[in-house]
Structures are given as structure tokens and as C-alpha cells.
Amino acid sequence: LCYVIVPLELMVNPAPTVPIDLDDLVACDSDGDDVEIFDLTQQAAAIYGAQDPTNFTLTYYTNQPDADAGTNAIAVPTAFPNTSNPQTIWVRLVNDTTFCVTVGSFQLVLGIAPTFTEVALFEQCDDEVVNGFTEFDLNSQNLTITAGDPNLSVTYYISQVDADDDTNPLAIPYTNISNPEIIYVRVEDNTTACYATFAMELFVLAPPAISQPNPLEFCDQDNDGFGEFTLTDA
């Protein structure tokens, strides 16, 4: 019945922190096939938070059992084609010193280009200075384009590149710089950020040419200063 007593130290190491409310990764379906290429590593900064990435190993999985076991990680997380819409992606964050593990998830969501009505031509009459240039209230076309959908935003650009990059939107009212002039319209879904563009032609209409009519005369038989005129004679 001999015995020896020795101390046993119990240590609790903190598990890595993974947010439970990671934002969705959203891509726009450019060709209607319900598949796009996602860069899953765009979530890395949100997953690490204030934790030092050099102390952890982060991997991505298509199901929770694999994430729990650390098996069958997604080989190329920077170029992952979704297999459903939406699709849940699981993440496994491992502390490289303590080997403690936390598993979390986020959604891949494939959006579609917004539905809208193209306005191909915006005509406006010239102003008092008849020179082919006038102010256009481009926003006056928004209601027609969006059919009143509050989830769509409309902006206008001088070039297709600016419209695609969402840079240098035109100030409104906008004075055309040629007549006619082509500008570019970007319609964006405020939820998914998916967008589409189209070209709009601005055209300034010249006012009708008129001549100064001759005076209309009336013989005042009773000299009272009043007479009956047929204005259409002018």
C-alpha cells in the first residue's frame, strides 16, 4: 500500500474566436448559370478579428463534419465555384500553439442583375439660348428605369468604364457636352450590389423656327378702340 502524491496541473487554454454572424459573401451571376467563382479568403480579416493571423491556421470546408475533423479542406479557397445557392461554407480556426479549435460558418449568396427598364433616348427642348446645349435632370428618368423599386439605385456616368467601376458619377443637373451625347447608366441592387448598365442618348431638340408676323389691323367703324380680330390670320 505504498503511495506517492504528486501535483497535477489543470490548464484551460482559450479557444480561437470566430464570429457567429459573419457577413455573406455575395457575387453576381454574370451569365445566368447559377455558378460564380468566390474568393473565400475575403472572410479572413473578419474571422481573425483582433487575433494575430500568424498564430493560427485557417481552413475552409463544404460541410461541418469535415470542419470538425479537419479533413477534406477546400484546396483552393481563393477560387471556389459554388455548388448551390445559397451555400454554407464552414471554417476551422486552429491555434498553432495550443491546438484549440473553433468552427464557424458563413453563406455564399449568388445575386442576379436587377430588373429594370432601359431608357434609350432622353430628349429635351433647348433653352432660351438656342445652341444645342441645355441642362438635363437625369434623375427624372429614375422612376421609369426602376419602376419605383426602392431597392434599386440609379447613377449616371460619362463612360462605360466609370459606370462599371462606379467612379465619377455625373453631377445633376447635367449639361450635355455634345448633341447628341451618349452617357451610361448604372442600375444597382442595394442589397446584393449586383448591377447592370446601359447607354442613354441625350438629345437637345431645337425650337421651331418662326417669323415675326405682320400686325393684324382692324378698321374701327365706331371709333371706340375695340375690334374683333381673327388671331389665326397671323
Side-chain angles (χ1 to χ4, degrees), residues 8-220:
L8 173 64
E9 185 177 21
L10 303 181
M11 298 181 61
V12 177
N13 293 311
T17 300
V18 175
I20 61 174
D21 56 349
L22 287 168
D23 291 339
D24 298 339
L25 272 188
V26 180
C28 298
D29 188 4
S30 58
D31 53 13
D33 64 355
D34 290 329
V35 177
E36 287 296 323
I37 303 300
F38 289 84
D39 180 1
L40 306 181
T41 63
Q42 290 179 341
Q43 294 284 45
I47 293 170
Y48 287 126
Q51 302 168 116
D52 186 352
T54 61
N55 296 329
F56 297 87
T57 298
L58 175 61
T59 45
Y60 304 83
Y61 304 82
T62 58
N63 59 73
Q64 186 174 5
D66 281 348
D68 290 336
T71 57
N72 303 313
I74 294 172
V76 187
T78 55
F80 175 76
N82 63 299
T83 57
S84 64
N85 184 34
Q87 180 174 2
T88 302
I89 296 296
W90 294 86
V91 298
R92 176 185 173 95
L93 188 62
V94 181
N95 186 305
D96 295 334
T97 301
T98 65
F99 302 105
C100 291
V101 176
T102 299
V103 170
S105 66
F106 60 89
Q107 294 285 312
L108 303 182
V109 177
L110 194 60
I112 60 174
T115 300
F116 58 91
T117 300
E118 292 190 14
V119 177
L121 175 63
F122 183 7
E123 294 180 319
Q124 186 156 297
C125 295
D126 212 339
D127 50 31
E128 62 274 6
V129 179
V130 182
N131 58 5
F133 301 95
T134 192
E135 288 186 346
F136 286 82
D137 180 7
L138 301 176
N139 285 337
S140 66
Q141 301 301 312
N142 292 359
L143 184 60
T144 300
I145 294 170
T146 65
D149 186 344
N151 195 48
L152 299 182
S153 59
V154 183
T155 41
Y156 301 85
Y157 303 84
I158 200 72
S159 71
Q160 182 68 61
V161 172
D162 282 350
D164 287 329
D165 294 342
D166 194 16
T167 56
N168 306 312
L170 294 176
I172 299 173
Y174 171 71
T175 300
N176 59 305
I177 57 177
S178 64
N179 190 36
E181 179 183 358
I182 300 295
I183 64 170
Y184 297 86
V185 186
R186 176 187 175 105
V187 185
E188 182 170 324
D189 187 305
N190 298 328
T191 301
T192 66
C194 293
Y195 75 94
T197 65
F198 67 91
M200 173 190 288
E201 180 180 320
L202 305 181
F203 187 70
V204 179
L205 298 166
I210 60 173
S211 300
Q212 179 65 41
N214 294 325
L216 295 181
E217 297 182 349
F218 177 80
C219 292
D220 189 1

